[in-house]
Amino acid sequence: MTFAAGQVAQAADSDVVAKVGKSTVTEAELKAAEAELGPQFQSLPADKRQLAVLSALIDIKALAAEAEKAKMQNDPAVKAQLEFDRDRALHNAYFAKEGIAKISDDELKARYDEEIKAMPPRKEVHARHILVKTKKEAEDVIKELEGGADFQKVAKEKSTGPSGPSGGDLGFFSQGQMVPAFEKAAFALKPGEFTKEPVQTQFGWHVIQVVETRDAPPPKFEQVKDQLQQLLLREKYMQMVGKARKALGVDYVDPKMKSQVQQLEKQMLGEQPDSGDAAAPATPAATAAPAAKSQ
């Protein structure tokens, strides 16, 4: 093997980059092998990684040639594996071309707008707190505040929490982000109010003040773009598989197996497919669909 990494990288897909007996290794085969074997060589520098994959591919072809000499391709288990590998490669290639490649930013943006419109409003509060060790200390703080003391000033002087130096400011938070007792007290207050009774949590005793409330802003498109893409891919995959199954027809030799598969599909999909619908797409197969590559 005399090819330098740069020479391999510049080869056309049809170019032969190595020969193993009567067999050849083309650039296209090397790219396919790199997709499968590349992660095994992540610790290697980039200029060595492709050569390592090529070396591994040569090993594979060498033993494959020996296996063919031994007629192992006629072994039922090997034949089944070869058929599965072929079908999976075609499955992945078809979905990559007809599914992944056809999802545009415009489609993602339209789905984003649809999802945001359907989101129920979610309340957020902007709060401050003063954290002390004992209930008595918290009661004394409340008396100070009721006497007109400035909340932020008292927080800086007495709060033991990490937010103390910034006047106890916790910023905005929504339900589920704080411990239950703290959250319940904070969401019960109106802007400008503070708790009249100390609030106990595992961190100590709190006096809480709410600065303002608002509806939580929706996530930005770029923040959820990848999630939306996976959602659309799953939907597109299920549509494609369902259409293909219906066109081809699916028959089970064992009626019991048919029932069990349909029950599993129903559970995985969270839906209620018709009992006789053998064309319903199987969710377990969807997990084998090629994932979208980040751009």
Side-chain angles (χ1 to χ4, degrees):
M1 187 173 65
T2 60
F3 293 90
Q7 291 174 307
V8 172
Q10 293 170 9
D13 282 357
S14 59
D15 287 350
V16 174
V17 296
K19 293 182 179 180
V20 187
K22 296 180 180 180
S23 181
T24 60
V25 178
T26 65
E27 175 64 14
E29 287 180 289
L30 182 57
K31 288 179 180 177
E34 193 166 8
E36 288 287 329
L37 304 175
Q40 300 176 25
F41 303 105
Q42 287 302 311
S43 60
L44 292 177
D47 61 337
K48 300 288 194 303
R49 193 177 306 138
Q50 191 178 49
L51 294 177
V53 171
L54 178 55
S55 177
L57 181 54
I58 289 171
D59 291 345
I60 290 170
K61 281 186 171 285
L63 286 189
E66 293 301 313
E68 284 195 327
K69 288 180 185 177
K71 305 297 183 183
M72 292 186 68
Q73 66 271 28
N74 297 324
D75 180 274
V78 176
K79 288 179 71 173
Q81 183 67 50
L82 289 171
E83 186 67 20
F84 170 73
D85 290 342
R86 175 185 177 277
D87 287 345
R88 182 172 60 175
L90 289 170
H91 160 279
N92 289 353
Y94 185 79
F95 185 63
K97 182 179 179 181
E98 301 298 327
I100 296 173
K102 293 192 175 181
I103 293 181
S104 66
D105 274 359
D106 287 342
E107 187 176 2
L108 289 170
K109 187 62 169 63
R111 185 55 177 266
Y112 168 80
D113 293 337
E114 180 184 324
E115 295 289 336
I116 293 301
K117 186 177 180 181
M119 282 179 62
R122 187 166 52 93
K123 186 179 178 183
E124 285 187 334
V125 299
H126 176 192
R128 303 187 183 105
H129 79 135
I130 299 169
L131 176 63
V132 291
K133 293 181 179 180
T134 67
K135 183 178 182 181
K136 177 65 168 58
E137 289 176 287
E139 290 171 340
D140 290 342
V141 165
I142 292 171
K143 288 178 182 178
E144 279 191 67
L145 296 173
E146 289 177 334
D150 180 75
F151 194 98
Q152 294 184 73
K153 183 178 179 181
V154 177
K156 289 178 181 178
E157 293 173 352
K158 299 185 176 181
S159 182
T160 62
S163 64
S166 60
D169 198 341
L170 297 171
F172 279 98
F173 56 88
S174 57
Q175 290 181 326
Q177 291 185 280
M178 297 293 182
V179 294
F182 189 100
E183 179 182 290
K184 182 179 179 181
F187 276 86
L189 296 171
K190 295 178 180 178
E193 293 182 342
F194 57 86
T195 49
K196 303 302 182 181
E197 296 291 334
V199 177
Q200 185 180 22
T201 71
Q202 64 266 42
F203 304 107
W205 293 86
H206 308 260
V207 179
I208 306 166
Q209 181 190 53
V210 166
V211 181
E212 58 181 315
T213 63
R214 70 178 184 187
D215 285 338
K220 294 181 180 180
F221 174 66
E222 292 300 329
Q223 291 178 301
V224 296
K225 182 179 177 180
D226 288 345
Q227 293 170 264
L228 289 170
Q229 187 177 44
Q230 293 306 317
L231 176 63
L232 285 177
L233 282 174
R234 175 179 170 78
E235 291 177 352
K236 193 176 290 286
Y237 180 83
M238 301 304 285
Q239 291 167 2
M240 292 168 67
V241 169
K243 182 178 178 181
R245 282 187 175 210
K246 186 174 182 180
L248 293 169
V250 179
D251 293 316
Y252 295 88
V253 176
D254 183 353
K256 184 178 179 181
M257 180 181 287
K258 174 181 177 179
S259 175
Q260 291 173 335
V261 170
Q262 289 178 343
Q263 286 299 316
L264 176 63
E265 290 174 353
K266 181 173 69 174
Q267 293 170 11
M268 298 293 286
L269 288 169
E271 297 176 357
Q272 294 289 337
D274 294 336
S275 59
D277 184 10
T283 297
T287 63
K293 294 181 180 179
S294 58
Q295 302 297 320

